[in-house]
């Protein structure tokens, strides 16, 4: 049932005629990612009120990754897709931010500094479904639906200790419902991610995490003619805060409220 189609730049495509689908294999032997300028620059920021020092690290090395991605895509008519993917990454030198109160060069201060970790591994699974329900009669054929999910299993080692991979939620879900017809387009979309490790402390009680978050947004667009259109956008309708906690969820470290935001405008196609 496998008919190989082509291979280029590490991509291999296989036709699965009995499933009306394609299998895509992507193997990347080595990916290098340079440190961000703010991490590698020889900078120092001192906050005496909070007794905190933030440092750059000019000795950071680029981190390297070997990746394997597999996905199966099934097209639903002319306006839908269902795909399942799996991937694996081996990472060396992943960059993470650390915080310590035990830096002998800066007694009495919390010191925040990026460092290279040791080895990291990532196993992941992705599911994606999107479709315009154009098989429905009349005006209902403009309905849009979609769902996606990502699940991760990660391990990250630094200085002999093991953590989950920083800045990587192990569960992310998104869903949307929309409508498109006769120049009118609207969509309401939600994205959920669970908590993730942000900064490594002196012990587990001092590790900093970003709390779970659900984002709900709405958009509406109307194309008056080929040149003119109007739009309305509303973001963070659930008024979710950005929350950081230290050690466990009951120890809130930071809670920032941004509120809901709205935008109304006119589009001009010149």
């Amino acid at each position: 049932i496998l008919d190989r189609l082509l291979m280029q730049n590490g991509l291999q495509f296989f036709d699965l005629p009995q499933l009306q689908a394609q299998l895509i294999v992507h193997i990347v032997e080595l990916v290098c990612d340079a440190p961000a300028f703010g991490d590698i620059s020889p900078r120092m920021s001192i906050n005496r009120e909070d007794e905190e020092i933030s440092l750059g690290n000019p000795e950071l090395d680029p981190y390297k990754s070997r990746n394997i991605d597999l996905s199966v895509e099934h097209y639903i008519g002319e306006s839908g897709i269902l795909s399942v993917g799996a991937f694996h990454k081996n990472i060396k030198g992943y960059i993470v931010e650390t915080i310590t109160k035990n830096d002998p060069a800066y007694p009495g201060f919390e010191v925040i500094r990026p460092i290279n970790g040791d080895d990291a591994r990532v196993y992941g699974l992705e599911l994606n479904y999107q479709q315009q329900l154009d098989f429905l009669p009349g005006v209902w054929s403009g309905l849009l639906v979609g769902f996606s999910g990502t699940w991760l299993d990660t391990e990250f080692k630094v200085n002999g200790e093991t953590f989950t991979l920083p800045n990587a939620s192990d569960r992310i879900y998104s869903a949307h419902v929309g409508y498109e017809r006769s120049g009118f387009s609207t969509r309401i979309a939600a994205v959920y991610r669970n908590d993730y490790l942000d900064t490594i402390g002196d012990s587990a009680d001092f590790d900093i995490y970003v709390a779970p978050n659900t984002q709900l947004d709405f958009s509406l667009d109307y194309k008056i003619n080929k040149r003119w259109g109007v739009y309305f956008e509303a973001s963070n309708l659930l008024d979710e805060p950005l929350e950081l906690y230290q050690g466990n969820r009951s120890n809130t470290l930071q809670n920032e409220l941004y509120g809901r935001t709205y935008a109304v405008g006119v589009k001009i196609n010149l």
Side-chain angles (χ1 to χ4, degrees):
I1 64 173
L2 284 178
D3 293 328
R4 183 168 175 176
L5 298 180
L6 61 91
M7 176 179 178
Q8 65 178 33
N9 299 326
L11 278 172
Q12 299 183 56
F13 297 84
F14 299 89
D15 192 21
L16 305 174
Q18 295 180 0
L19 300 178
Q20 295 182 338
Q22 274 191 347
L23 170 65
I24 302 172
V25 181
H26 190 198
I27 301 175
V28 179
E29 287 299 322
L30 186 63
V31 174
C32 295
D33 200 346
F37 178 77
D39 289 337
I40 202 171
S41 62
R43 60 176 174 82
M44 174 186 286
S45 174
I46 302 176
N47 186 329
R48 296 191 182 276
E49 182 178 350
D50 294 338
E51 297 182 332
E52 185 178 279
I53 295 177
S54 180
L55 301 172
N57 186 354
E59 297 181 2
L60 285 176
D61 295 320
Y63 68 82
K64 302 174 183 179
S65 175
R66 288 182 168 85
N67 309 332
I68 299 176
D69 298 88
L70 304 173
S71 65
V72 175
E73 297 181 349
H74 171 64
Y75 294 95
I76 306 170
E78 296 182 354
S79 58
I81 184 172
L82 174 64
S83 65
V84 179
F87 56 89
H88 171 58
K89 303 177 188 291
N90 276 322
I91 307 171
K92 293 186 180 295
Y94 188 82
I95 297 169
V96 62
E97 197 164 80
T98 62
I99 184 169
T100 179
K101 291 184 176 180
N102 300 319
D103 193 318
Y106 307 99
F109 283 87
E110 281 189 336
V111 178
I112 302 171
R113 174 193 286 115
I115 65 169
N116 286 108
D118 300 322
D119 295 334
R121 62 155 185 83
V122 179
Y123 294 96
L125 180 66
E126 296 177 319
L127 173 66
N128 178 52
Y129 163 70
Q130 296 185 55
Q131 186 174 11
Q132 181 171 352
L133 306 183
D134 53 6
F135 56 86
L136 294 176
V139 296
W140 298 105
S141 63
L143 283 172
L144 307 167
V145 293
F147 167 82
S148 68
T150 301
W151 298 266
L152 298 180
D153 178 21
T154 68
E155 183 180 86
F156 175 60
K157 294 182 178 181
V158 57
N159 297 329
E161 296 186 77
T162 302
F163 305 86
T164 57
L165 189 70
N167 302 309
S169 296
D170 61 17
R171 296 191 307 278
I172 302 174
Y173 307 117
S174 69
H176 71 265
V177 177
Y179 187 85
E180 290 185 359
R181 185 180 174 90
S182 302
F184 179 82
S185 175
T186 186
R187 183 172 301 196
I188 186 165
V191 179
Y192 167 82
R193 57 151 185 79
N194 71 333
D195 51 1
Y196 61 84
L197 178 64
D198 180 76
T199 303
I200 294 175
D202 289 325
S203 68
D205 291 335
F206 295 97
D207 293 341
I208 298 174
Y209 293 83
V210 178
N213 180 273
T214 300
Q215 177 91 10
L216 182 65
D217 300 327
F218 172 79
S219 66
L220 184 150
D221 189 291
Y222 180 65
K223 190 173 182 180
I224 300 171
N225 53 44
K226 292 183 178 180
R227 187 174 182 185
W228 294 90
V230 293
Y231 69 90
F232 169 75
E233 296 176 350
S235 301
N236 194 26
L237 291 174
L238 300 179
D239 197 18
E240 285 273 291
L242 171 63
E243 180 186 350
L244 278 68
Y245 64 88
Q246 196 161 33
N248 62 72
R249 185 69 187 274
S250 62
N251 296 327
T252 299
L253 183 67
Q254 180 178 334
N255 193 300
E256 298 182 5
L257 294 171
Y258 296 100
R260 302 173 182 87
T261 59
Y262 304 94
V264 178
V266 176
K267 295 181 179 180
I268 304 175
N269 187 13
L270 299 177

PDB file of all heavy atoms in Angstrom, residues 57-89:
ATOM      1  N   ASN A  57      25.243  35.679  29.247  1.00  0.00           N
ATOM      2  CA  ASN A  57      26.277  34.652  29.338  1.00  0.00           C
ATOM      3  C   ASN A  57      26.996  34.530  27.995  1.00  0.00           C
ATOM      4  O   ASN A  57      26.561  33.789  27.115  1.00  0.00           O
ATOM      5  CB  ASN A  57      25.652  33.314  29.727  1.00  0.00           C
ATOM      6  CG  ASN A  57      26.690  32.238  29.972  1.00  0.00           C
ATOM      7  OD1 ASN A  57      27.883  32.447  29.753  1.00  0.00           O
ATOM      8  ND2 ASN A  57      26.253  31.079  30.430  1.00  0.00           N
ATOM      9  N   PRO A  58      28.116  35.250  27.819  1.00  0.00           N
ATOM     10  CA  PRO A  58      28.842  35.204  26.546  1.00  0.00           C
ATOM     11  C   PRO A  58      29.437  33.828  26.236  1.00  0.00           C
ATOM     12  O   PRO A  58      29.870  33.590  25.098  1.00  0.00           O
ATOM     13  CB  PRO A  58      29.963  36.238  26.747  1.00  0.00           C
ATOM     14  CG  PRO A  58      29.502  37.109  27.859  1.00  0.00           C
ATOM     15  CD  PRO A  58      28.693  36.229  28.762  1.00  0.00           C
ATOM     16  N   GLU A  59      29.448  32.908  27.209  1.00  0.00           N
ATOM     17  CA  GLU A  59      30.025  31.586  26.990  1.00  0.00           C
ATOM     18  C   GLU A  59      28.999  30.565  26.506  1.00  0.00           C
ATOM     19  O   GLU A  59      29.310  29.387  26.362  1.00  0.00           O
ATOM     20  CB  GLU A  59      30.675  31.087  28.287  1.00  0.00           C
ATOM     21  CG  GLU A  59      31.844  31.965  28.753  1.00  0.00           C
ATOM     22  CD  GLU A  59      32.496  31.450  30.008  1.00  0.00           C
ATOM     23  OE1 GLU A  59      32.051  30.380  30.502  1.00  0.00           O
ATOM     24  OE2 GLU A  59      33.441  32.086  30.497  1.00  0.00           O
ATOM     25  N   LEU A  60      27.787  31.004  26.231  1.00  0.00           N
ATOM     26  CA  LEU A  60      26.774  30.077  25.725  1.00  0.00           C
ATOM     27  C   LEU A  60      27.161  29.503  24.366  1.00  0.00           C
ATOM     28  O   LEU A  60      27.695  30.209  23.511  1.00  0.00           O
ATOM     29  CB  LEU A  60      25.424  30.791  25.596  1.00  0.00           C
ATOM     30  CG  LEU A  60      24.635  31.082  26.865  1.00  0.00           C
ATOM     31  CD1 LEU A  60      23.389  31.883  26.521  1.00  0.00           C
ATOM     32  CD2 LEU A  60      24.256  29.796  27.584  1.00  0.00           C
ATOM     33  N   ASP A  61      26.883  28.229  24.169  1.00  0.00           N
ATOM     34  CA  ASP A  61      27.074  27.573  22.874  1.00  0.00           C
ATOM     35  C   ASP A  61      25.724  27.410  22.174  1.00  0.00           C
ATOM     36  O   ASP A  61      24.678  27.339  22.834  1.00  0.00           O
ATOM     37  CB  ASP A  61      27.701  26.187  23.069  1.00  0.00           C
ATOM     38  CG  ASP A  61      29.103  26.263  23.631  1.00  0.00           C
ATOM     39  OD1 ASP A  61      29.860  27.157  23.218  1.00  0.00           O
ATOM     40  OD2 ASP A  61      29.440  25.428  24.504  1.00  0.00           O
ATOM     41  N   PRO A  62      25.720  27.352  20.840  1.00  0.00           N
ATOM     42  CA  PRO A  62      24.478  27.000  20.141  1.00  0.00           C
ATOM     43  C   PRO A  62      24.025  25.607  20.571  1.00  0.00           C
ATOM     44  O   PRO A  62      24.848  24.741  20.879  1.00  0.00           O
ATOM     45  CB  PRO A  62      24.883  27.013  18.665  1.00  0.00           C
ATOM     46  CG  PRO A  62      26.145  27.807  18.614  1.00  0.00           C
ATOM     47  CD  PRO A  62      26.840  27.587  19.918  1.00  0.00           C
ATOM     48  N   TYR A  63      22.722  25.400  20.631  1.00  0.00           N
ATOM     49  CA  TYR A  63      22.285  24.037  20.926  1.00  0.00           C
ATOM     50  C   TYR A  63      21.985  23.304  19.629  1.00  0.00           C
ATOM     51  O   TYR A  63      21.652  23.896  18.613  1.00  0.00           O
ATOM     52  CB  TYR A  63      21.106  24.011  21.899  1.00  0.00           C
ATOM     53  CG  TYR A  63      19.788  24.534  21.414  1.00  0.00           C
ATOM     54  CD1 TYR A  63      18.931  23.732  20.658  1.00  0.00           C
ATOM     55  CD2 TYR A  63      19.348  25.805  21.757  1.00  0.00           C
ATOM     56  CE1 TYR A  63      17.709  24.195  20.237  1.00  0.00           C
ATOM     57  CE2 TYR A  63      18.110  26.279  21.346  1.00  0.00           C
ATOM     58  CZ  TYR A  63      17.299  25.465  20.589  1.00  0.00           C
ATOM     59  OH  TYR A  63      16.079  25.933  20.183  1.00  0.00           O
ATOM     60  N   LYS A  64      22.143  21.996  19.664  1.00  0.00           N
ATOM     61  CA  LYS A  64      22.048  21.161  18.473  1.00  0.00           C
ATOM     62  C   LYS A  64      20.947  20.125  18.659  1.00  0.00           C
ATOM     63  O   LYS A  64      20.775  19.576  19.748  1.00  0.00           O
ATOM     64  CB  LYS A  64      23.389  20.471  18.202  1.00  0.00           C
ATOM     65  CG  LYS A  64      24.554  21.448  18.025  1.00  0.00           C
ATOM     66  CD  LYS A  64      25.879  20.729  17.903  1.00  0.00           C
ATOM     67  CE  LYS A  64      27.032  21.717  17.789  1.00  0.00           C
ATOM     68  NZ  LYS A  64      28.351  21.036  17.702  1.00  0.00           N
ATOM     69  N   SER A  65      20.236  19.853  17.572  1.00  0.00           N
ATOM     70  CA  SER A  65      19.102  18.941  17.646  1.00  0.00           C
ATOM     71  C   SER A  65      19.082  18.009  16.446  1.00  0.00           C
ATOM     72  O   SER A  65      19.345  18.433  15.310  1.00  0.00           O
ATOM     73  CB  SER A  65      17.803  19.744  17.717  1.00  0.00           C
ATOM     74  OG  SER A  65      16.681  18.898  17.677  1.00  0.00           O
ATOM     75  N   ARG A  66      18.781  16.747  16.683  1.00  0.00           N
ATOM     76  CA  ARG A  66      18.508  15.764  15.627  1.00  0.00           C
ATOM     77  C   ARG A  66      17.041  15.381  15.711  1.00  0.00           C
ATOM     78  O   ARG A  66      16.566  14.946  16.762  1.00  0.00           O
ATOM     79  CB  ARG A  66      19.413  14.538  15.776  1.00  0.00           C
ATOM     80  CG  ARG A  66      20.859  14.821  15.400  1.00  0.00           C
ATOM     81  CD  ARG A  66      21.727  13.579  15.515  1.00  0.00           C
ATOM     82  NE  ARG A  66      23.023  13.785  14.886  1.00  0.00           N
ATOM     83  CZ  ARG A  66      24.058  14.336  15.475  1.00  0.00           C
ATOM     84  NH1 ARG A  66      23.956  14.760  16.723  1.00  0.00           N
ATOM     85  NH2 ARG A  66      25.199  14.479  14.837  1.00  0.00           N
ATOM     86  N   ASN A  67      16.343  15.519  14.586  1.00  0.00           N
ATOM     87  CA  ASN A  67      14.882  15.405  14.600  1.00  0.00           C
ATOM     88  C   ASN A  67      14.388  14.348  13.621  1.00  0.00           C
ATOM     89  O   ASN A  67      14.939  14.194  12.528  1.00  0.00           O
ATOM     90  CB  ASN A  67      14.228  16.737  14.216  1.00  0.00           C
ATOM     91  CG  ASN A  67      14.754  17.901  15.025  1.00  0.00           C
ATOM     92  OD1 ASN A  67      15.194  17.742  16.160  1.00  0.00           O
ATOM     93  ND2 ASN A  67      14.698  19.084  14.444  1.00  0.00           N
ATOM     94  N   ILE A  68      13.328  13.668  14.014  1.00  0.00           N
ATOM     95  CA  ILE A  68      12.606  12.753  13.128  1.00  0.00           C
ATOM     96  C   ILE A  68      11.120  13.076  13.245  1.00  0.00           C
ATOM     97  O   ILE A  68      10.580  13.133  14.357  1.00  0.00           O
ATOM     98  CB  ILE A  68      12.851  11.277  13.496  1.00  0.00           C
ATOM     99  CG1 ILE A  68      14.329  10.924  13.372  1.00  0.00           C
ATOM    100  CG2 ILE A  68      12.013  10.367  12.602  1.00  0.00           C
ATOM    101  CD1 ILE A  68      14.648   9.506  13.809  1.00  0.00           C
ATOM    102  N   ASP A  69      10.462  13.311  12.118  1.00  0.00           N
ATOM    103  CA  ASP A  69       9.035  13.620  12.099  1.00  0.00           C
ATOM    104  C   ASP A  69       8.324  12.662  11.152  1.00  0.00           C
ATOM    105  O   ASP A  69       8.772  12.454  10.015  1.00  0.00           O
ATOM    106  CB  ASP A  69       8.795  15.052  11.627  1.00  0.00           C
ATOM    107  CG  ASP A  69       9.425  16.087  12.542  1.00  0.00           C
ATOM    108  OD1 ASP A  69      10.604  16.422  12.341  1.00  0.00           O
ATOM    109  OD2 ASP A  69       8.726  16.547  13.444  1.00  0.00           O
ATOM    110  N   LEU A  70       7.210  12.102  11.606  1.00  0.00           N
ATOM    111  CA  LEU A  70       6.356  11.252  10.781  1.00  0.00           C
ATOM    112  C   LEU A  70       4.944  11.809  10.839  1.00  0.00           C
ATOM    113  O   LEU A  70       4.454  12.176  11.919  1.00  0.00           O
ATOM    114  CB  LEU A  70       6.335   9.808  11.298  1.00  0.00           C
ATOM    115  CG  LEU A  70       7.669   9.076  11.437  1.00  0.00           C
ATOM    116  CD1 LEU A  70       7.452   7.732  12.126  1.00  0.00           C
ATOM    117  CD2 LEU A  70       8.300   8.864  10.073  1.00  0.00           C
ATOM    118  N   SER A  71       4.265  11.882   9.710  1.00  0.00           N
ATOM    119  CA  SER A  71       2.877  12.336   9.724  1.00  0.00           C
ATOM    120  C   SER A  71       2.092  11.654   8.620  1.00  0.00           C
ATOM    121  O   SER A  71       2.630  11.320   7.568  1.00  0.00           O
ATOM    122  CB  SER A  71       2.789  13.858   9.576  1.00  0.00           C
ATOM    123  OG  SER A  71       3.256  14.268   8.307  1.00  0.00           O
ATOM    124  N   VAL A  72       0.812  11.458   8.893  1.00  0.00           N
ATOM    125  CA  VAL A  72      -0.121  10.911   7.910  1.00  0.00           C
ATOM    126  C   VAL A  72      -1.215  11.953   7.703  1.00  0.00           C
ATOM    127  O   VAL A  72      -1.823  12.423   8.673  1.00  0.00           O
ATOM    128  CB  VAL A  72      -0.729   9.578   8.374  1.00  0.00           C
ATOM    129  CG1 VAL A  72      -1.787   9.102   7.379  1.00  0.00           C
ATOM    130  CG2 VAL A  72       0.351   8.529   8.544  1.00  0.00           C
ATOM    131  N   GLU A  73      -1.464  12.330   6.447  1.00  0.00           N
ATOM    132  CA  GLU A  73      -2.457  13.345   6.125  1.00  0.00           C
ATOM    133  C   GLU A  73      -3.542  12.734   5.242  1.00  0.00           C
ATOM    134  O   GLU A  73      -3.246  12.122   4.222  1.00  0.00           O
ATOM    135  CB  GLU A  73      -1.804  14.523   5.393  1.00  0.00           C
ATOM    136  CG  GLU A  73      -0.776  15.266   6.233  1.00  0.00           C
ATOM    137  CD  GLU A  73      -0.169  16.447   5.503  1.00  0.00           C
ATOM    138  OE1 GLU A  73      -0.391  16.549   4.275  1.00  0.00           O
ATOM    139  OE2 GLU A  73       0.522  17.248   6.143  1.00  0.00           O
ATOM    140  N   HIS A  74      -4.775  12.923   5.668  1.00  0.00           N
ATOM    141  CA  HIS A  74      -5.926  12.455   4.896  1.00  0.00           C
ATOM    142  C   HIS A  74      -6.777  13.664   4.536  1.00  0.00           C
ATOM    143  O   HIS A  74      -7.232  14.408   5.419  1.00  0.00           O
ATOM    144  CB  HIS A  74      -6.748  11.463   5.714  1.00  0.00           C
ATOM    145  CG  HIS A  74      -8.059  11.101   5.086  1.00  0.00           C
ATOM    146  ND1 HIS A  74      -8.148  10.426   3.880  1.00  0.00           N
ATOM    147  CD2 HIS A  74      -9.338  11.346   5.475  1.00  0.00           C
ATOM    148  CE1 HIS A  74      -9.422  10.259   3.569  1.00  0.00           C
ATOM    149  NE2 HIS A  74     -10.161  10.807   4.513  1.00  0.00           N
ATOM    150  N   TYR A  75      -6.971  13.883   3.229  1.00  0.00           N
ATOM    151  CA  TYR A  75      -7.745  15.024   2.771  1.00  0.00           C
ATOM    152  C   TYR A  75      -9.213  14.653   2.661  1.00  0.00           C
ATOM    153  O   TYR A  75      -9.570  13.616   2.080  1.00  0.00           O
ATOM    154  CB  TYR A  75      -7.203  15.533   1.442  1.00  0.00           C
ATOM    155  CG  TYR A  75      -5.806  16.096   1.579  1.00  0.00           C
ATOM    156  CD1 TYR A  75      -4.692  15.307   1.313  1.00  0.00           C
ATOM    157  CD2 TYR A  75      -5.613  17.398   2.025  1.00  0.00           C
ATOM    158  CE1 TYR A  75      -3.413  15.810   1.468  1.00  0.00           C
ATOM    159  CE2 TYR A  75      -4.343  17.914   2.186  1.00  0.00           C
ATOM    160  CZ  TYR A  75      -3.241  17.111   1.917  1.00  0.00           C
ATOM    161  OH  TYR A  75      -1.980  17.616   2.093  1.00  0.00           O
ATOM    162  N   ILE A  76     -10.064  15.509   3.233  1.00  0.00           N
ATOM    163  CA  ILE A  76     -11.508  15.269   3.269  1.00  0.00           C
ATOM    164  C   ILE A  76     -12.143  16.155   2.208  1.00  0.00           C
ATOM    165  O   ILE A  76     -12.310  17.366   2.397  1.00  0.00           O
ATOM    166  CB  ILE A  76     -12.071  15.601   4.658  1.00  0.00           C
ATOM    167  CG1 ILE A  76     -11.301  14.827   5.743  1.00  0.00           C
ATOM    168  CG2 ILE A  76     -13.558  15.278   4.725  1.00  0.00           C
ATOM    169  CD1 ILE A  76     -11.623  15.279   7.149  1.00  0.00           C
ATOM    170  N   GLY A  77     -12.469  15.571   1.083  1.00  0.00           N
ATOM    171  CA  GLY A  77     -13.013  16.346  -0.020  1.00  0.00           C
ATOM    172  C   GLY A  77     -12.020  17.408  -0.465  1.00  0.00           C
ATOM    173  O   GLY A  77     -10.814  17.185  -0.508  1.00  0.00           O
ATOM    174  N   GLU A  78     -12.529  18.589  -0.802  1.00  0.00           N
ATOM    175  CA  GLU A  78     -11.675  19.675  -1.251  1.00  0.00           C
ATOM    176  C   GLU A  78     -11.452  20.731  -0.166  1.00  0.00           C
ATOM    177  O   GLU A  78     -10.778  21.729  -0.400  1.00  0.00           O
ATOM    178  CB  GLU A  78     -12.294  20.351  -2.484  1.00  0.00           C
ATOM    179  CG  GLU A  78     -12.396  19.424  -3.695  1.00  0.00           C
ATOM    180  CD  GLU A  78     -12.969  20.135  -4.904  1.00  0.00           C
ATOM    181  OE1 GLU A  78     -13.388  21.300  -4.760  1.00  0.00           O
ATOM    182  OE2 GLU A  78     -13.002  19.522  -5.993  1.00  0.00           O
ATOM    183  N   SER A  79     -12.023  20.521   1.033  1.00  0.00           N
ATOM    184  CA  SER A  79     -11.968  21.592   2.020  1.00  0.00           C
ATOM    185  C   SER A  79     -11.706  21.101   3.441  1.00  0.00           C
ATOM    186  O   SER A  79     -12.031  21.786   4.404  1.00  0.00           O
ATOM    187  CB  SER A  79     -13.282  22.388   2.011  1.00  0.00           C
ATOM    188  OG  SER A  79     -14.367  21.508   2.276  1.00  0.00           O
ATOM    189  N   GLY A  80     -11.096  19.920   3.565  1.00  0.00           N
ATOM    190  CA  GLY A  80     -10.838  19.416   4.913  1.00  0.00           C
ATOM    191  C   GLY A  80      -9.583  18.575   4.970  1.00  0.00           C
ATOM    192  O   GLY A  80      -9.127  18.033   3.960  1.00  0.00           O
ATOM    193  N   ILE A  81      -9.014  18.468   6.164  1.00  0.00           N
ATOM    194  CA  ILE A  81      -7.822  17.651   6.355  1.00  0.00           C
ATOM    195  C   ILE A  81      -7.849  17.051   7.751  1.00  0.00           C
ATOM    196  O   ILE A  81      -8.276  17.692   8.714  1.00  0.00           O
ATOM    197  CB  ILE A  81      -6.528  18.477   6.156  1.00  0.00           C
ATOM    198  CG1 ILE A  81      -5.293  17.566   6.262  1.00  0.00           C
ATOM    199  CG2 ILE A  81      -6.441  19.622   7.155  1.00  0.00           C
ATOM    200  CD1 ILE A  81      -4.000  18.258   5.887  1.00  0.00           C
ATOM    201  N   LEU A  82      -7.427  15.805   7.847  1.00  0.00           N
ATOM    202  CA  LEU A  82      -7.223  15.128   9.121  1.00  0.00           C
ATOM    203  C   LEU A  82      -5.804  14.588   9.102  1.00  0.00           C
ATOM    204  O   LEU A  82      -5.429  13.855   8.182  1.00  0.00           O
ATOM    205  CB  LEU A  82      -8.225  13.991   9.298  1.00  0.00           C
ATOM    206  CG  LEU A  82      -8.029  13.105  10.535  1.00  0.00           C
ATOM    207  CD1 LEU A  82      -8.223  13.908  11.816  1.00  0.00           C
ATOM    208  CD2 LEU A  82      -8.968  11.903  10.495  1.00  0.00           C
ATOM    209  N   SER A  83      -4.993  14.976  10.078  1.00  0.00           N
ATOM    210  CA  SER A  83      -3.603  14.540  10.096  1.00  0.00           C
ATOM    211  C   SER A  83      -3.210  14.096  11.495  1.00  0.00           C
ATOM    212  O   SER A  83      -3.703  14.613  12.503  1.00  0.00           O
ATOM    213  CB  SER A  83      -2.667  15.655   9.612  1.00  0.00           C
ATOM    214  OG  SER A  83      -2.681  16.759  10.500  1.00  0.00           O
ATOM    215  N   VAL A  84      -2.308  13.123  11.525  1.00  0.00           N
ATOM    216  CA  VAL A  84      -1.727  12.630  12.775  1.00  0.00           C
ATOM    217  C   VAL A  84      -0.220  12.620  12.586  1.00  0.00           C
ATOM    218  O   VAL A  84       0.284  12.160  11.545  1.00  0.00           O
ATOM    219  CB  VAL A  84      -2.230  11.217  13.121  1.00  0.00           C
ATOM    220  CG1 VAL A  84      -1.576  10.723  14.410  1.00  0.00           C
ATOM    221  CG2 VAL A  84      -3.738  11.196  13.262  1.00  0.00           C
ATOM    222  N   GLY A  85       0.505  13.145  13.555  1.00  0.00           N
ATOM    223  CA  GLY A  85       1.956  13.199  13.442  1.00  0.00           C
ATOM    224  C   GLY A  85       2.630  12.748  14.725  1.00  0.00           C
ATOM    225  O   GLY A  85       2.083  12.880  15.821  1.00  0.00           O
ATOM    226  N   ALA A  86       3.834  12.218  14.580  1.00  0.00           N
ATOM    227  CA  ALA A  86       4.669  11.858  15.718  1.00  0.00           C
ATOM    228  C   ALA A  86       6.067  12.374  15.445  1.00  0.00           C
ATOM    229  O   ALA A  86       6.509  12.419  14.290  1.00  0.00           O
ATOM    230  CB  ALA A  86       4.679  10.343  15.930  1.00  0.00           C
ATOM    231  N   PHE A  87       6.754  12.777  16.489  1.00  0.00           N
ATOM    232  CA  PHE A  87       8.109  13.299  16.292  1.00  0.00           C
ATOM    233  C   PHE A  87       8.987  12.986  17.499  1.00  0.00           C
ATOM    234  O   PHE A  87       8.504  12.731  18.611  1.00  0.00           O
ATOM    235  CB  PHE A  87       8.077  14.809  16.025  1.00  0.00           C
ATOM    236  CG  PHE A  87       7.381  15.630  17.077  1.00  0.00           C
ATOM    237  CD1 PHE A  87       8.074  16.129  18.174  1.00  0.00           C
ATOM    238  CD2 PHE A  87       6.030  15.912  16.957  1.00  0.00           C
ATOM    239  CE1 PHE A  87       7.429  16.882  19.139  1.00  0.00           C
ATOM    240  CE2 PHE A  87       5.375  16.674  17.912  1.00  0.00           C
ATOM    241  CZ  PHE A  87       6.083  17.160  19.011  1.00  0.00           C
ATOM    242  N   HIS A  88      10.276  13.015  17.226  1.00  0.00           N
ATOM    243  CA  HIS A  88      11.281  12.758  18.269  1.00  0.00           C
ATOM    244  C   HIS A  88      12.443  13.706  18.046  1.00  0.00           C
ATOM    245  O   HIS A  88      12.869  13.930  16.905  1.00  0.00           O
ATOM    246  CB  HIS A  88      11.764  11.308  18.210  1.00  0.00           C
ATOM    247  CG  HIS A  88      12.936  11.029  19.100  1.00  0.00           C
ATOM    248  ND1 HIS A  88      12.907  11.237  20.465  1.00  0.00           N
ATOM    249  CD2 HIS A  88      14.184  10.584  18.811  1.00  0.00           C
ATOM    250  CE1 HIS A  88      14.082  10.915  20.984  1.00  0.00           C
ATOM    251  NE2 HIS A  88      14.872  10.523  19.999  1.00  0.00           N
ATOM    252  N   LYS A  89      12.948  14.284  19.127  1.00  0.00           N
ATOM    253  CA  LYS A  89      14.085  15.196  19.057  1.00  0.00           C
ATOM    254  C   LYS A  89      15.108  14.812  20.119  1.00  0.00           C
ATOM    255  O   LYS A  89      14.745  14.568  21.281  1.00  0.00           O
ATOM    256  CB  LYS A  89      13.648  16.650  19.286  1.00  0.00           C
ATOM    257  CG  LYS A  89      12.589  17.159  18.318  1.00  0.00           C
ATOM    258  CD  LYS A  89      12.160  18.583  18.667  1.00  0.00           C
ATOM    259  CE  LYS A  89      10.966  19.027  17.824  1.00  0.00           C
ATOM    260  NZ  LYS A  89      11.326  19.205  16.408  1.00  0.00           N
TER     261      LYS A  89
END
